[in-house]
Amino acid sequence: ILGYLRQRALHQMILDHHGEVAARIVSILQSKGHLDADAIADAAMVPAKDVREILHRLYKANYISLLVLQQSKQYNPSNAYYLWHVENDRLFQKVTDNVCKAYLHLRLRRRHEMELGKDWVERAKEQTIVDENE
């Protein structure tokens, strides 16, 4: 049950941040393993151009990884295979980092709001004391 809940939370977070197609792509990569962009486009039923953009966006956000396989010892990008995959440990670590960052921002925002609202709280206390004395 815990694994299922973790997967649902991950799916929802990717859905909120990157959209429905990105969440679908990550689910496909988790279930099928290493795939190239064209195979992902076929499985996700999305145009290849859109899939490539989403894959690069997910890669920049560290949600997925890229494996480059060369056919020869010489580096030639046109003769390479580019396989996308999901490393679950790294993915869940990224989600944990995002949650911790959000919690930190909430605490900082709360502290900031408390600093701004100190004078309002003091005025309300003074007004309450004045009202009680009358």
Side-chain angles (χ1 to χ4, degrees):
I1 293 175
L2 185 61
Y4 174 76
L5 291 175
R6 207 159 89 170
Q7 279 299 118
R8 294 304 308 155
L10 168 72
H11 182 80
Q12 189 63 43
M13 192 176 103
I14 294 173
L15 181 70
D16 291 343
H17 287 209
H18 297 283
E20 182 180 344
V21 177
R24 192 178 331 148
I25 287 172
V26 171
S27 296
I28 290 168
L29 286 173
Q30 282 181 321
S31 65
K32 294 190 177 185
H34 293 76
L35 292 174
D36 66 337
D38 295 330
I40 295 169
D42 292 340
M45 295 183 280
V46 177
K49 180 181 177 186
D50 296 340
V51 167
R52 283 188 207 100
E53 291 174 9
I54 293 169
L55 285 170
H56 286 283
R57 209 169 57 222
L58 290 170
Y59 179 72
K60 283 173 108 177
N62 285 330
Y63 287 114
I64 61 175
S65 300
L66 177 64
L67 177 65
V68 180
L69 297 175
Q70 294 290 334
Q71 290 181 347
S72 64
K73 291 183 180 180
Q74 296 175 351
Y75 178 74
N76 187 357
S78 63
N79 290 336
Y81 293 109
Y82 298 96
L83 301 177
W84 300 94
H85 66 283
V86 173
E87 295 175 10
N88 283 326
D89 294 336
R90 194 168 120 193
L91 182 62
F92 290 124
Q93 183 63 43
K94 177 67 177 171
V95 170
T96 304
D97 291 347
N98 286 349
V99 169
C100 290
K101 188 185 295 184
Y103 181 65
L104 173 68
H105 288 166
L106 284 173
R107 289 187 65 190
L108 292 173
R109 174 68 185 260
R110 182 174 177 255
R111 184 182 306 155
H112 176 71
E113 293 293 334
M114 291 297 288
E115 290 294 323
L116 289 177
K118 270 186 182 177
D119 58 339
W120 289 95
V121 172
E122 290 174 8
R123 286 185 203 162
K125 284 181 182 178
E126 291 173 3
Q127 186 64 31
T128 305
I129 292 171
V130 170
D131 290 344
E132 287 176 0
N133 290 335
E134 292 178 355

